[in-house]
Amino acid sequence: MRLIQLRSFRPLSLLLLGSASLFHASPAQSADFVRDPEWRAGFLGSYRVLAAVEPEITEDERTALRETLNQMSTSLPAAAQHLQGAINQQSSAALNLVLGNLYFQTGELERAQQQYRQAIGKHPNFLRAYQNLGLLEVQRDQHDDAIRSLSKAIELGAKEARLYGLLAYCFLHRQDYLAAEQAYREAHLLDPDNRDWQMGLVQVLSQSGDHQATITLCRQLLDEAPDNAVLWKLIANAQVSLQQPLAAAKTLEMARVYSPGDPSSLALLGDIYFNEGLFALAQSSYAEAIAQSGDQAFEPTLRMAGLLLRSEEVEPAYDLLQKIQQHATIPANRELDVLTLQAKIQRRQGNEAEATETLRKIVNLDGTQGEALLELADYHWNHGEQAAALERLQQAQRLEAYRFDALVRHAQLLVSLKRYDEAAERLNQALQLREEPRIQRYYDQVRRAAQGV
């Protein structure tokens, strides 16, 4: 059963600092926030929450910060350049932090990272430097580094839900599900109204294999957001993992009511129906998916059409192929695959002339299309064209991906001609490529026939 793969959970925001921030607004907002008295006090270092984790600043440095502040309302790069001139090995770590924030805000992440690290080097317990460094490392997908920085900020006294949430996200990326679960729960305790932490926790439970807990939490969240397609899919995936396919189908049918038009849900539903032998329902689910999302559903719908055909569900397969041709743009590298499927369906429908024309078109375009060669071989054999059939099989045998099937098919045709020695040789070659009990049994039977036993 194919399970839906969810996109990696990403935090909704990467704010730079908390309530005692030195800098946390975008350039577009600068003219407004720099006039706020409380923010100005924090920026200039007029108060410090925890002396052990905040560096001292001198009056000269306070003046440099004030001048930087005045320039920020007009030009962040100019403000950064001005502040850079006030920083040396002896200057306060607070200046490095502010400069790092300015670089962070203007997108110069490497320079921002260097400043945060210099701030920590000057003041090893600088809480806000660790906090900002951790946020930057999350943004740069440096998850192991972010874990160390955010953990240190929390150790030094930071108690923001956002930090725990980002820490959980990093643990989830590292597949440390126990740590991720604990961090998400802590974030939820500190900020119970934030659904990001609940959604993160759901994903942790799902990926760690706690399927019953996943179902329980998803259902709680669906009470508030019944149109959330992700939650419905997580429940369905958990039910599939618990060997409850029909319950999963019921869940996905509910999703169609509350969150219609989600192609991945429809594809999963179609897979469940196919595995349960409900072919008409499988076809219907995929037909809806391709009609609603076109190119996005091309690959899974083509796959399902092929599965239906192999199950001798010719008309459902034909219907899906028509839907593909109507609603999707067929990629150039998949045109021959679509034509091959079309030829197979035409043959099953008894349209031999059309099928042969399609197959010859395929082989003329690309002589390495093994499936088309095998189909042509069958066509030639069924029409008494033995030499043409064997020639196509020999072509297919030169293709590594199709050599096994071509050898077995060749042997079957030789058996029908009572050329048992040659057939046994082909089967032996096939078994050297892949050991299969059914082919081994067939080989033994052909050898006995060759020996007249």
Side-chain angles (χ1 to χ4, degrees), residues 108-124:
E108 299 179 77
L109 301 186
E110 183 67 35
R111 298 178 77 178
Q113 198 166 23
Q114 292 173 359
Q115 291 301 318
Y116 293 146
R117 287 174 175 164
Q118 288 180 26
I120 291 168
K122 291 179 179 180
H123 194 81

Side-chain angles (χ1 to χ4, degrees), residues 147-342:
I147 287 172
R148 286 189 288 271
S149 299
L150 294 171
S151 298
K152 183 64 174 180
I154 290 170
E155 177 189 332
L156 292 170
K159 293 293 289 183
E160 293 183 35
R162 174 191 45 162
L163 296 185
Y164 281 101
L166 293 177
L167 183 61
Y169 164 72
C170 293
F171 281 129
L172 178 58
H173 187 275
R174 202 167 70 176
Q175 298 183 342
D176 187 343
Y177 299 124
L178 179 59
E181 180 179 350
Q182 292 173 338
Y184 273 130
R185 291 189 185 281
E186 187 68 28
H188 177 60
L189 285 174
L190 292 170
D191 186 7
D193 295 329
N194 190 321
R195 288 179 60 83
D196 289 350
W197 318 139
Q198 295 170 308
M199 290 298 296
L201 179 57
V202 163
Q203 190 173 357
V204 170
L205 294 173
S206 175
Q207 294 191 17
S208 65
D210 194 342
H211 304 304
Q212 198 56 59
T214 299
I215 293 170
T216 299
L217 182 52
C218 282
R219 284 178 173 159
Q220 291 175 3
L221 296 174
L222 282 170
D223 288 340
E224 298 179 8
D227 61 343
N228 190 319
V230 172
L231 294 172
W232 290 109
K233 284 183 287 189
L234 284 170
I235 292 176
N237 278 331
Q239 289 168 327
V240 168
S241 297
L242 292 171
Q243 305 299 313
Q244 299 171 0
L246 294 181
K250 182 179 178 181
T251 295
L252 291 168
E253 290 289 4
M254 291 290 291
R256 292 173 85 172
V257 174
Y258 288 104
S259 181
D262 180 65
S264 57
S265 292
L266 290 168
L268 178 56
L269 181 61
D271 288 350
I272 293 171
Y273 283 142
F274 179 84
N275 288 341
E276 294 299 309
L278 302 171
F279 301 122
L281 291 175
Q283 180 272 332
S284 175
S285 296
Y286 271 96
E288 184 177 342
I290 192 74
Q292 291 182 353
S293 56
D295 295 351
Q296 187 179 353
F298 167 77
E299 287 291 347
T301 306
L302 182 64
R303 175 185 60 84
M304 178 52 65
L307 290 173
L308 288 167
L309 185 63
R310 283 199 286 274
S311 300
E312 297 302 323
E313 297 294 322
V314 179
E315 290 311 310
Y318 174 67
D319 180 79
L320 281 189
L321 180 61
Q322 285 190 310
K323 292 291 193 300
I324 290 170
Q325 293 169 332
Q326 290 169 9
H327 299 290
T329 303
I330 300 172
N333 65 338
R334 300 291 270 148
E335 287 180 0
L336 293 177
D337 296 313
V338 172
L339 285 172
T340 301
L341 178 62
Q342 178 179 310

Side-chain angles (χ1 to χ4, degrees), residues 93-111:
L95 273 62
N96 295 95
L97 176 69
V98 175
L99 182 58
N101 292 340
L102 289 168
Y103 286 143
F104 198 159
Q105 190 67 9
T106 56
E108 299 179 77
L109 301 186
E110 183 67 35
R111 298 178 77 178

